Amino acid sequence: MDPALTSLLAASIAFVGSHVALSHPLRAPLAARLGEKGFLGLYSLVSLAAFAWMIVAFRAAYGSGAPAWNGQTDLAWAVASGLTWVALVLFLGSLKGNPAAPTTPAEQVAEARVTGVYAVTRHPMMWGFALWAVAHILVMPTPRSLILAGAILILALLGAHLQDRKKEALQGMAWKGWEARTSYWPRWSRLPSAGWRLWAAALILWLAITWLHRPGNGFVAGIWRWL
């Protein structure tokens, strides 16, 4: 394997592995030793370091290997554009009133209403990341993109599953009740329940982010491909 791709693969494994390890088996003993704030500081430092390594390795792997298929078709770009818009709807909707947030008490989880993006999935942020990854794999199936986006896809979906198990252990019936009222797998037919304001906000942000692809990454994204 190309050395640049090897470095990217190692960075991606470190990124996913450190998140899983620190969020689950290592969280309790480290939090007991360092305190909650100390643990969160360590978690943030390790995550940022692994992410920075992954981005540097990704840029270094430019031109390493041919695409697995032709992602530069109008159909692929249209599908990817739609997926990233939906991803932003889910992500933005998850920033308010998220029962999965670390600071949300069990009593609040037990009383949580299934509205907005939570009517689609109880893990809207994770599924937003997953859709982002799928969209990038679809249009940029180069070895480096498959590794980086694949790592984010695995972390998002595995992380959501493991979060359910952790929350069940920590919050018992409160979280199990939330699981019974919601779905891990997205109910796509309920996307309109996110509300037009959220869709509009996501569209504005999506237009800005995709426009910035050209100066930031050297190529266009979204509708700017056709404009």
Side-chain angles (χ1 to χ4, degrees):
M1 182 184 289
D2 185 294
L5 290 177
T6 301
S7 178
L8 176 58
L9 180 60
S12 299
I13 292 173
F15 181 69
V16 174
S18 63
H19 270 76
V20 172
L22 290 173
S23 296
H24 300 282
L26 297 180
R27 182 183 180 92
L30 287 175
R33 179 179 292 271
L34 302 174
E36 192 62 27
K37 289 185 178 180
F39 169 76
L40 290 176
L42 175 65
Y43 183 94
S44 299
L45 182 62
V46 172
S47 297
L48 286 173
F51 184 71
W53 178 17
M54 192 163 62
I55 295 303
V56 170
F58 177 79
R59 292 186 180 279
Y62 181 79
S64 298
W69 60 81
N70 179 18
Q72 302 302 301
T73 66
D74 286 343
L75 177 59
W77 275 82
V79 172
S81 295
L83 288 176
T84 50
W85 182 16
V86 173
L88 268 178
V89 170
L90 294 175
F91 176 80
L92 293 178
S94 73
L95 298 179
K96 181 179 179 181
N98 192 341
T103 56
T104 305
E107 313 84 71
Q108 192 172 326
V109 172
E111 298 173 357
R113 297 175 57 199
V114 184
T115 59
V117 293
Y118 301 103
V120 181
T121 172
R122 66 177 166 273
H123 297 291
M125 182 179 290
M126 296 298 198
W127 275 99
F129 291 143
L131 291 183
W132 176 93
V134 170
H136 283 73
I137 289 172
L138 180 62
V139 298
M140 297 292 288
T142 59
R144 69 172 189 156
S145 291
L146 292 174
I147 293 173
L148 184 142
I152 292 176
L153 179 63
I154 291 170
L155 179 59
L157 300 187
L158 176 62
H161 171 73
L162 293 176
Q163 186 181 74
D164 279 338
R165 305 290 79 78
K166 180 174 68 176
K167 291 290 187 177
E168 287 173 4
L170 294 174
Q171 298 184 337
M173 292 307 299
W175 190 262
K176 290 181 179 179
W178 180 241
E179 287 181 318
R181 300 194 303 277
T182 56
S183 174
Y184 170 89
W185 297 102
R187 298 164 174 168
W188 300 119
S189 63
R190 300 188 182 184
L191 275 172
S193 64
W196 70 268
R197 289 182 179 84
L198 182 57
W199 279 95
L203 177 60
I204 293 170
L205 183 59
W206 178 81
L207 288 170
I209 291 173
T210 52
W211 183 83
L212 288 170
H213 251 271
R214 183 191 292 273
N217 298 290
F219 56 89
V220 297
I223 64 170
W224 309 110
R225 169 186 172 91
W226 298 286
L227 297 177

